[in-house]
Amino acid sequence: MIIAIGADHGGFELKKQIISHLESKGVKVLDMGAYDAQSVDYPDYAPPVCRAVLSGEADYGILICGTGIGISISANKIEGVRCALLGDTFSAKMAREHNDANVMALGARVLGVGLALEIVDTFIGTDFSHDDRHSRRIQKMMDLEKR
Ligand code: RB5
């Protein structure tokens, strides 16, 4: 599995911890920055991660900012992206099973590291259900991009 990850300064420290956690499990990680804790603008970090997912270079994307809000909104502006802002493991499971989310966002100033890592593990470890009703709803969601 290959994961693309990106963060602003608010998510920089958590990004490092997620990368070492994933690499310790043998997951390949594409680190799209930020590479230090200098103040940056979160909308700049969503596109490289989303592009990696949409091109198939990465299986999933992880985005982190202080709250996860700004970077998730930014990601969801990109056609083809279904980014879920996650704060619990149940939602992480549902985001994959029901919504087939391809990118997840975390708030580094909201979550403890332990919970954040469990959310990551749950998200990347859960497959889409492929139930007809969920496929239909996802198609309707994606059709909203054309309006
Ligand atoms: C940066 O200070 C902060 O606004 C950002 O990390 C994020 O929380 C925005 O949604």
Side-chain angles (χ1 to χ4, degrees):
M1 177 175 291
I2 302 175
I3 301 295
I5 192 166
D8 73 354
H9 54 287
F12 170 67
E13 286 298 331
L14 180 58
K15 175 167 71 68
K16 284 199 291 190
Q17 285 167 301
I18 292 173
I19 291 172
S20 58
H21 172 72
L22 289 173
E23 288 182 341
S24 77
K25 290 161 56 107
V27 175
K28 184 175 173 191
V29 182
L30 309 175
D31 184 358
M32 311 290 198
Y35 302 111
D36 59 41
Q38 293 269 355
S39 183
V40 291
D41 298 334
Y42 55 80
D44 296 335
Y45 292 86
V49 167
C50 294
R51 272 199 299 272
V53 173
L54 294 172
S55 71
E57 193 187 350
D59 297 289
Y60 300 116
I62 301 174
L63 293 169
I64 315 159
C65 67
T67 59
I69 297 170
I71 208 154
S72 61
I73 293 173
S74 304
N76 279 316
K77 299 288 180 194
I78 298 170
E79 195 173 342
V81 171
R82 291 181 297 282
C83 177
L85 171 55
L86 298 172
D88 64 274
T89 54
F90 177 74
S91 299
K93 186 166 181 280
M94 291 301 107
R96 290 289 311 122
E97 270 185 21
H98 289 197
N99 311 113
D100 198 16
N102 47 12
V103 179
M104 56 169 283
L106 297 171
R109 295 174 183 154
V110 181
L111 302 170
V113 176
L115 177 56
L117 297 181
E118 279 193 30
I119 290 170
V120 167
D121 287 346
T122 303
F123 185 86
I124 68 173
T126 306
D127 290 328
F128 177 49
S129 70
H130 290 282
D131 282 354
D132 286 349
R133 70 185 193 285
H134 296 310
S135 298
R136 182 181 68 245
R137 290 162 189 164
I138 289 163
Q139 189 56 55
K140 286 188 176 186
M141 254 199 304
M142 302 322 284
D143 286 347
L144 295 174
E145 289 179 340
K146 298 180 192 118
R147 290 197 189 174

